[in-house]
Amino acid sequence: MTKADYESDVLIVGGGLAGLPLALALAQGGLTVTVIDAQDPAKTHDAGFDGRVSAIAFASCRMFERLGVTKHLAGQMQPINDIIVSDGRVREGASPLFLHFDHTEIGNEPLGHLIENRHTRIALGKAIAEQPLVTLIAPNAVKSVAYDAAHATATLADGTMVRAKLCFAADGRPSPTREAAGIRTIGWDYGQTGIVTTVEHERPHEGVAQEYFLPNGPFAILPMVGNRASLVWTEKTAAAKAILALNDEDFADEMRARFGDYLGECRPVGPRWSYPLNLQLAREYIRPRLALIADAAHGVHPIAGQGLNLGLRDVAAAAEVVVDAARLGLDIGSLTVLERYQRWRRFDNVALSLMMDGLNRLFSNDLGPVRLARDLGLGLVNQIGPMRRLFMRHAGGVVGDLPRLLKGEAV
């Protein structure tokens, strides 16, 4: 057997918003971890790399605290105190029937926190640097991964070889690692594009997030630190291209027609980003010595802001399964061990993915009878306290069989 340049218990392909938390969790459980990422961390930490923010549910926030990430996010976490869900049309305003989630109904914790993705990456990088059991190799791409009876061995673009007992694919929706392993996916394109930009506004947002459903797709207004909000503006792809091509003044006018004036004067600032929207689900999550997590396993519509949280739930479950197996002296890369992870996460991911798909289809149209039914539905749920609180707990990630990390406990 050729000698590897790096030997560890676990190899993670992809050092992003799921790969790095997984490395921290496994290391806290006493395992050695090598993370390979094709991107230069200096680039991914730059403000121009990714304009998105992520809603980190309160269960995921507990995990970040336990993993030593939160201390590096001081001043960058905007609490989500309320969420208002409404339906409407451009320039006509919102329906009088709406759904209001108030965090005080289910406890003292906010419903979650809004954090710019780049600040989360910076904080994860600092936490990784403090963890001696994790080796991060970046930038360097994985050329291939070979699997045998006892190991997964990655060959990198520069010829470096990394050997481990188990490989996790955390390399995003395209996931070359998943594709090379022959794991197929199912899914479809929505014919929609998400436009992302930041808005400065006159009045304080008080930590209120808005999910405003328009005929072409949802228009989310997500509170950021200071008098700023992140827009996740969904349009049919042809319309999105036309909007993105507008000059600054016309783009601002289109934005204000949807944003309204409830926060006073507002204006878009900084770059505009766009992302095609689709659904993608892996048919399997595991093979001998290989497991998929986060976007490599499931890519969902951003309608409910649950994409990253689903990935972080994968992280918490995968870490618990692998660490428990290691403590029992089991082979952490065996299918017997990995089957527990797949059973734990696949149903939840598929169910929530299809729920978000259904919501997008229900609200992204302008049919009169459907509009009436969904408005009445929003108003009805708003009046039923137990149902409303159940939805909040689901969004917070505290329903079901929770891994220890999501309870704020050690892995």
Side-chain angles (χ1 to χ4, degrees):
M1 181 182 292
T2 304
K3 181 173 171 45
D5 298 284
Y6 295 88
E7 294 265 4
S8 60
D9 295 313
V10 178
L11 161 66
I12 301 174
V13 182
L17 298 177
L20 293 183
L22 179 59
L24 290 170
L26 292 169
Q28 285 197 359
L31 299 177
T32 56
V33 185
T34 303
V35 182
I36 313 298
D37 195 75
Q39 298 279 359
D40 184 346
K43 180 180 178 181
T44 62
H45 296 172
D46 185 81
F49 178 75
D50 183 357
R52 290 171 292 185
V53 303
S54 291
I56 308 298
F58 55 82
S60 300
C61 288
R62 294 172 189 170
M63 181 169 74
F64 273 13
E65 178 70 33
R66 173 59 67 173
L67 296 180
V69 179
T70 305
K71 65 185 179 181
H72 298 299
L73 285 166
Q76 303 299 338
M77 301 176 66
Q78 170 58 52
I80 306 170
N81 297 320
D82 299 76
I83 301 173
I84 297 176
V85 183
S86 58
D87 188 22
R89 290 191 179 102
V90 178
R91 294 184 173 85
E92 292 185 15
S95 164
L97 298 172
F98 60 89
L99 177 56
H100 178 205
F101 296 128
D102 180 346
H103 78 285
T104 60
E105 286 194 69
I106 58 172
N108 296 321
E109 289 179 288
L111 295 171
H113 288 82
L114 266 299
I115 311 171
E116 294 178 61
N117 285 359
R118 72 184 184 95
H119 288 304
T120 303
R121 289 190 179 94
I122 291 169
L124 287 167
K126 290 178 179 178
I128 287 289
E130 296 172 346
Q131 178 50 261
L133 295 181
V134 177
T135 299
L136 174 61
I137 302 175
N140 207 334
V142 173
K143 185 177 178 182
S144 65
V145 183
Y147 307 92
D148 60 32
H151 298 96
T153 304
T155 302
L156 309 189
D158 65 357
T160 298
M161 296 184 68
V162 181
R163 182 176 293 130
K165 300 171 187 174
L166 169 62
C167 173
F168 277 102
D171 47 352
R173 290 197 191 197
S175 186
T177 310
R178 180 195 66 226
E179 294 297 305
I183 298 177
R184 299 174 63 188
T185 63
I186 59 172
W188 44 84
D189 185 78
Y190 288 113
Q192 295 174 317
T193 295
I195 301 169
V196 176
T197 193
T198 300
V199 173
E200 289 182 348
H201 45 79
E202 181 182 7
R203 299 175 190 147
H205 47 57
E206 307 294 350
V208 178
Q210 300 268 356
E211 187 81 45
Y212 184 29
F213 288 104
L214 296 169
N216 280 353
F219 184 86
I221 303 171
L222 309 175
M224 298 172 66
V225 172
N227 279 16
R228 299 183 304 151
S230 174
L231 298 189
V232 183
W233 173 358
T234 304
E235 290 283 347
K236 302 294 186 185
T237 297
K241 289 179 180 177
I243 290 168
L244 288 164
L246 294 173
N247 61 39
D248 290 348
E249 183 178 345
D250 290 340
F251 180 84
D253 287 343
E254 287 293 329
M255 181 274 297
R256 292 186 186 106
R258 295 156 175 80
F259 197 102
D261 60 1
Y262 77 103
L263 291 177
E265 289 294 323
C266 60
R267 65 186 183 94
V269 294
R272 312 167 195 171
W273 290 268
S274 65
Y275 304 91
L277 303 182
N278 57 42
L279 175 72
Q280 178 178 282
L281 300 172
R283 292 178 180 269
E284 304 166 85
Y285 285 12
I286 61 171
R287 289 286 171 85
R289 313 257 159 232
L290 172 66
L292 313 181
I293 64 163
D295 282 358
H298 45 81
V300 302
H301 196 286
I303 192 169
Q306 288 298 305
L308 178 56
N309 290 297
L310 287 177
L312 293 175
R313 288 178 219 173
D314 292 350
V315 165
E320 186 165 320
V321 166
V322 172
V323 169
D324 283 353
R327 287 170 178 161
L328 292 171
L330 302 177
D331 179 357
I332 62 173
S334 70
L335 279 179
T336 303
V337 168
L338 298 179
E339 278 283 1
R340 181 188 169 205
Y341 162 67
Q342 178 168 260
R343 287 194 305 270
W344 198 347
R345 291 301 308 142
R346 188 161 61 173
F347 177 80
D348 181 44
N349 287 331
V350 171
L352 282 171
S353 299
L354 294 179
M355 183 189 75
M356 288 183 273
D357 177 81
L359 284 173
N360 183 54
R361 294 176 188 278
L362 174 64
F363 282 93
S364 296
N365 65 74
D366 202 27
L367 299 174
V370 177
R371 284 179 58 85
L372 176 61
R374 69 196 183 207
D375 288 355
L376 291 173
L378 287 174
L380 180 62
V381 173
N382 197 54
Q383 297 302 313
I384 303 175
M387 184 180 294
R388 191 175 59 246
R389 289 187 284 275
L390 177 62
F391 285 160
M392 282 191 276
R393 292 190 181 96
H394 264 293
V398 293
V399 174
D401 183 12
L402 293 186
R404 293 187 289 267
L405 279 171
L406 295 182
K407 300 175 186 176
E409 301 170 4
V411 67

